[in-house]
Amino acid sequence: MSQAVLDNVRDLLPGLRERAEETERLRVVPEANIKELEEAGHFKLLQPRRFDGYESDPIDFYTSVRLISSACGSTGWVSSVVGVHPWQVALFADEAQQAVWGEDTNVRLSSSYSPTGKATVVEGGYQLSGKWSFSSGCDHCSWVLLGGLVFDGEGNVVDFKTFMLPRSDYTIVDVWHMVGLAGTGSNDIIVDDVFVPEAFTLSMGQTGQCKGPGQEQNTSDLYKLPFHSIFTNTITTPIIGLAMGAYDEHVEMQQKRTRAAYLGEKASLDPFAAVRIAKASSEIDAAWALLVANIREEQDYVAKGEKIPLKTRLKVRRDQVLGSQRAIDAIDALFEASGGRALANGTYLQRAWRDAHAGRVHAANDPERALQMYGALEFGHKIDPGMY
């Protein structure tokens, strides 16, 4: 079934690319894009089969995101961060899964995981309040996943959880006016003293151990992979897709371009231009190849019933942040070598340049922290719990 979804997505790419400028003007992915991706099956790739999902290989999901991003960066970003949420919902207690998908298996969720909210322990659950930023695609979703610190009655932090709330329990504030990923509608979420039942929460300590109550119902190996391996690569994959789209447009432009400063020489005959695209393509291929290889390595451990070594998980993060950087470096090199026409409104290249650099500032792409963890482990130092 995954192959059928990928074939469907490929058919959508010309239309997504044609609407890319509209997406930026609207500051939100057009409803037509979301509807087409829904009908293509994209949002169900990581959804449990018992809720009409496909329980696909995560590489199939990333491939779909990569394709979408090669046509429209904002749509690709939203397809990634919204499309990955069914994977986490599958880890919640069955009561929460039924609340989300029991009546409509096409329900979507947005998120904001930074623990900027505060939850207090009360009988049966938590009282949650706060403001969260950067909830991409939230206008197309009827539930939200929010990160929050949990405090006991004495004011001590006792947990860090993800809280799942229906649309009636939060407010969206339109604040998204950005130069990159402008069409993602990554607006603020406000929650004012809402009760969240225990079943609608998930401890990040538990997910850090590759566990969740939903594994009782959803027994696939898909849901035994590390949270941060799956989620951080949803941030890198759109950037790789942007690089692939930029590469294709650059090659096409250079085949048609003549360089006035060099007596009308065809740009494609410039040997330095050939070297640039060779280097850029290698960086893009390396970013993708390492992403795939690392997820495959984790899958092999899960299939054998073995615990994934910490070094492997840190390697995933190492190559994830460097994969983002490799893709951005490729886009930079292509953009710089494309000539003045690449600056024109409507070109994919200038939009990819802006979108990729916007994606670079996401917390998942903080290279120093990810690389420091890997290096510290190699030196034999203790690694504190974090994004791995």
Side-chain angles (χ1 to χ4, degrees), residues 289-357:
L290 286 169
L291 185 157
V292 172
N294 287 335
I295 294 296
R296 291 282 182 252
E297 183 175 336
E298 289 189 325
Q299 288 176 309
D300 287 344
Y301 281 108
V302 171
K304 291 183 289 187
E306 298 177 7
K307 183 179 179 180
I308 301 171
L310 178 58
K311 182 173 180 178
T312 298
R313 293 172 66 163
L314 292 179
K315 184 172 69 167
V316 172
R317 290 284 284 122
R318 178 198 71 186
D319 293 336
Q320 175 260 314
V321 294
L322 290 178
S324 293
Q325 192 59 59
R326 286 186 173 100
I328 292 169
D329 288 346
I331 293 171
D332 285 349
L334 296 169
F335 185 53
E336 291 169 5
S338 291
R341 295 188 186 280
L343 295 169
N345 289 331
T347 64
Y348 181 92
L349 262 170
Q350 54 82 24
R351 190 182 306 111
W353 186 87
R354 290 185 286 111
D355 289 348
H357 281 274

Side-chain angles (χ1 to χ4, degrees), residues 16 23 27-29 33-34 37 42-43 61-62 64-85 109-113 133-138 140-141 176 178 180-187 231-242 320 324 327-328 348 351-352 354-366:
L16 298 178
T23 302
R27 298 183 299 111
V28 65
V29 175
N33 289 11
I34 297 296
L37 292 175
H42 170 80
F43 292 115
F61 172 73
Y62 294 138
S64 183
V65 169
R66 190 193 72 192
L67 289 168
I68 297 163
S69 302
S70 73
C72 174
S74 288
T75 302
W77 185 271
V78 169
S79 77
S80 195
V81 299
V82 171
V84 75
H85 292 144
L109 305 90
S110 68
S111 68
S112 182
Y113 290 102
S133 298
F134 312 122
S135 188
S136 301
C138 57
H140 298 293
C141 300
W176 192 248
M178 302 293 174
L181 295 173
T184 59
S186 303
N187 291 308
F231 271 69
T232 58
N233 276 309
T234 67
I235 301 304
T236 291
T237 300
I239 299 175
I240 296 174
L242 284 163
Q320 175 260 314
S324 293
I328 292 169
Y348 181 92
R351 190 182 306 111
R354 290 185 286 111
D355 289 348
H357 281 274
R360 169 64 180 81
V361 302
H362 190 282
N365 280 328
D366 183 348

Side-chain angles (χ1 to χ4, degrees), residues 153-175:
E154 285 72 47
N156 301 308
V157 176
V158 294
D159 206 349
F160 172 21
K161 288 200 165 207
T162 299
F163 297 85
M164 183 191 298
L165 283 72
R167 184 68 183 82
S168 58
D169 284 350
Y170 61 92
T171 302
I172 297 174
V173 182
D174 185 357
V175 297

Side-chain angles (χ1 to χ4, degrees), residues 175-226:
V175 297
W176 192 248
H177 300 268
M178 302 293 174
V179 297
L181 295 173
T184 59
S186 303
N187 291 308
D188 288 354
I189 303 292
I190 305 293
V191 176
D192 184 13
D193 196 27
V194 168
F195 174 71
V196 183
E198 178 69 42
F200 290 71
T201 72
L202 192 62
S203 173
M204 295 301 287
Q206 194 172 24
T207 55
Q209 299 174 40
C210 302
K211 296 178 181 179
Q215 289 173 338
E216 292 184 18
Q217 295 80 34
N218 306 311
T219 58
S220 167
D221 285 352
L222 169 64
Y223 304 113
K224 298 172 185 175
L225 293 165

